Amino acid sequence: MYNTKDIQNRVDSYISQFKEGYFSPLSLMARLSEEVGELAREVNHYYGEKPKKATEQEKTVEEELGDIIFVLSCFANSLDIDLSEAFDIAINKIETRDKDRWTRKDNHN
């Protein structure tokens, strides 16, 4: 499968084919928001109280997560951000800030 570098490279190979290139950060933020909204709709259909109408197209949570990863990769690439480095910063912050926030399972003392 893919690691984040592979994902970002594949997205860049795809986007590089087109003269338009990457959208602006503001447009990418709007696209990301749209995709997160589509994920919310799918989650609500599968796990919430709002079933799909018979006329609505079948999508999946997996497909929407994939769309988010694509747009997030476009966003990172357009700003020359390495997603692995961004994740490393975030997880280190979370592991430090929230290390005592949650109740640990017995086998992780």
Side-chain angles (χ1 to χ4, degrees):
M1 294 313 268
Y2 298 97
N3 61 40
T4 55
K5 186 174 214 53
D6 295 335
I7 291 168
Q8 287 189 257
N9 286 339
R10 182 149 182 200
V11 167
D12 194 60
S13 292
Y14 175 75
I15 297 295
S16 296
Q17 303 176 78
F18 307 106
K19 289 180 182 179
E20 293 82 1
Y22 290 103
F23 293 164
S24 70
L26 188 58
S27 292
L28 286 167
M29 188 66 235
R31 288 260 343 260
L32 186 59
S33 297
E34 288 173 23
E35 295 300 345
V36 170
E38 290 176 16
L39 174 63
R41 184 176 177 87
E42 286 302 300
V43 169
N44 196 24
H45 288 314
Y46 286 105
Y47 304 105
E49 288 72 41
K50 185 182 174 195
K52 283 189 181 241
K53 297 179 208 168
T55 56
E56 287 184 284
Q57 184 179 6
E58 189 68 29
K59 287 192 175 182
T60 66
V61 170
E62 181 179 36
E63 181 180 340
E64 296 307 333
L65 286 171
D67 290 347
I68 289 169
I69 291 169
F70 175 78
V71 176
L72 192 61
S73 297
C74 287
F75 211 148
N77 286 353
S78 75
L79 298 173
D80 199 28
I81 293 171
D82 182 309
L83 284 174
S84 288
E85 291 176 14
F87 175 78
D88 190 55
I89 292 166
I91 197 67
N92 284 320
K93 176 179 64 177
I94 290 163
E95 288 173 340
T96 302
R97 180 191 64 203
D98 296 337
K99 67 180 173 55
D100 297 320
R101 185 174 185 178
W102 312 108
T103 305
R104 292 201 179 264
K105 295 179 180 180
D106 289 336
N107 61 349
H108 289 98
N109 290 331

